[in-house]
Structures are given as C-alpha cells and as structure tokens.
Amino acid sequence: MKKTVEEHAARFSEMADAYDDSKSDEYHACASLVIEYADPSAADTVLDLGAGTGAIALALAPDAERVLARDISEGMMDEGRRKAEEAGLSNVEFAYGEFRDPEIDPDQRVDVVTSNFALHHLADDEKREAIRVMAATGARRVVLGDVAFFEEPDPAAPFYGPEVDDPATVGTLVEAFTDEGFAVTTVERVHDQVAVIVAERGQALSEPGAETGGPE
Ligand SMILES: C[S@@+](CC[C@H](N)C(=O)[O-])C[C@H]1O[C@@H](n2cnc3c(N)ncnc32)[C@H](O)[C@@H]1O
C-alpha cells in the first residue's frame, strides 16, 4: 500500500462530490462487466468491497436480497447513501470496512463478492490477504474489476498513478484466486491495464459424487 488506509480515505473523501463525473470510458466498461458477471439471484447477499459511491452496489441491489457495501471513505459512502435513498433502495448497507477486514458479522452469509477499481491501492501481499478474506466469506463467486497489467506496465499510461496506485499483474491475481481454491472462469481484457476476473468455487472434493465424477 503506497499510502496508509487513513490517507486513502481522506483522499477519496475529498474528491467524493466530483468522483462520479470523473470516470474514463474504460472505468465504465469495467464496471458494466463487473455488474454483468456478478449476476446475483434474488436470494443472494452481495459484498461489494471498496464500494465508493456505490457504482456496483447500487446497480446490483434491485437483483439481490441485500448488498453490503464496504469502504474506508465516509465521504464516498455518504454519496452512495444519498444515491441509494434517492433511488429508493433500502437493501444496501454502506458501512466502514477494509479489504482485509470488511467488518461483517461472522454469521453473515455472502454469496457473491464484487470489487471494482479499488484493490489496486493495496500492495501485492495485501491483495493476496484480501483475496483470502474474500474466500473466507464462503462466496460462490468473486468478480474483480481493477487496474491490472496484462503486459509490462507503461508508467506513462493513464490508469496508473505511481504515487497512489500499486497494480498487480493479471497473473498474480489469477494465482491468488487459484491458491484460495477458486476456479478462474473468465478474464476480460478491458484495456492493457484494466482486467475483469471472475473466480468461482469448484465442486468441493468432499461433496457427494465429486470423487467419482469421471468415467468409470
Ligand atoms: C476508485 S474508487 C472505486 C469505487 C467504486 N468501487 C467504483 O467502482 O466506482 C476506490 C475506492 O476504494 C476505497 N479503498 C481504498 N483502499 C481501501 C481499503 N484498504 N479497503 C476498502 N476500501 C478501500 C476508496 O475509499 C475508494 O472509495
């Protein structure tokens, strides 16, 4: 993490008013794919990490039972709360939570985890820890849209601010999900430096029939 959690929170709270109007075409394309792949059912609880002003959380709320939106910036979440109220969405809960400690009730069921354009603020070892936390929720699907490198990063490229951003390679992220027992089912290349990764739980070996699934 190139800045502390407090520094990131203050920086985002400062820009919260203008945030929604400042986004690139690639950001919008990435967010649309995250929403599309998340695809919750009406009984699902979605956990959106680094939720900001609610681009993903608010879009998914009409299709899900509940959306837990977690972020470190109260300014960003206040915008999200305002928009949720305006849209009449009462099933979205914005509350403080970090990637590595989303502060959700241990008994809370989570079916789908989403995150868009946020994980790249963490260093790679912290991203791994965050992905471990996502896995520990028991979610069947994680959809991560983020700044991530398919190729050698170009330091002059627009998606990467070396002072505040610390993007991983796509390979590092895929490996982290695989290490946590997910199957990575989709990798979308939105831009050389913007990826959407869909990670899903395979059938556990202990589940009936899993060991005998092949030809006999
Ligand atoms: C670029 S915004 C993305 C917001 C939203 N997901 C979207 O798609 O518009 C990044 C967000 O990540 C949050 N963030 C940064 N570091 C975080 C951390 N360690 N834990 C949780 N959220 C974090 C920031 O406060 C900010 O709201």
Side-chain angles (χ1 to χ4, degrees):
M1 191 177 293
K2 297 209 168 171
K3 292 202 178 284
T4 64
V5 165
E6 293 75 19
E7 285 168 334
H8 278 303
R11 196 169 67 82
F12 276 102
S13 287
E14 231 165 77
M15 68 172 84
D17 283 357
Y19 175 82
D20 285 353
D21 297 326
S22 69
K23 309 316 291 173
S24 64
D25 289 348
E26 289 81 359
Y27 161 88
H28 288 294
C30 186
S32 296
L33 285 169
V34 170
I35 292 160
E36 184 184 319
Y37 281 114
D39 192 26
S41 68
D44 280 349
T45 296
V46 178
L47 172 63
D48 185 35
L49 295 170
T53 60
I56 306 301
L58 301 183
L60 294 178
D63 295 330
E65 181 174 284
R66 195 171 176 216
V67 182
L68 308 171
R70 294 292 181 265
D71 202 282
I72 55 172
S73 161
E74 285 301 329
M76 294 287 274
M77 289 193 286
D78 279 347
E79 276 295 304
R81 290 179 184 113
R82 186 187 56 72
K83 292 194 304 188
E85 202 178 323
E86 248 176 45
L89 294 168
S90 56
N91 62 339
V92 188
E93 173 200 277
F94 283 91
Y96 185 92
E98 292 181 40
F99 272 108
R100 292 173 297 160
D101 181 10
E103 302 197 13
I104 54 170
D105 189 323
D107 299 330
Q108 173 65 55
R109 198 190 77 242
V110 174
D111 303 291
V112 179
V113 176
T114 54
S115 185
N116 189 55
F117 263 67
L119 189 65
H120 64 274
H121 296 301
L122 277 63
D124 281 6
D125 58 331
E126 297 167 330
K127 292 186 191 86
R128 282 185 180 276
E129 211 181 315
I131 288 170
R132 205 169 301 136
V133 169
M134 293 176 193
T137 65
R140 69 171 184 276
R141 182 179 307 134
V142 179
V143 185
L144 172 68
D146 205 3
V147 184
F149 301 136
F150 283 90
E151 291 155 17
E152 276 295 301
D154 172 2
F159 298 99
Y160 172 43
E163 281 153 28
V164 290
D165 298 331
D166 202 356
T169 64
V170 173
T172 299
L173 295 170
V174 167
E175 187 183 278
F177 280 113
T178 307
D179 286 351
E180 294 306 322
F182 286 101
V184 171
T185 54
T186 303
V187 177
E188 290 260 10
R189 185 180 181 130
V190 177
H191 176 277
D192 285 353
Q193 299 187 32
V194 181
V196 175
I197 297 172
V198 183
E200 304 194 70
R201 297 245 179 228
Q203 191 182 25
L205 276 178
S206 57
E207 281 177 29
E211 286 149 315
T212 54
E216 306 221 342

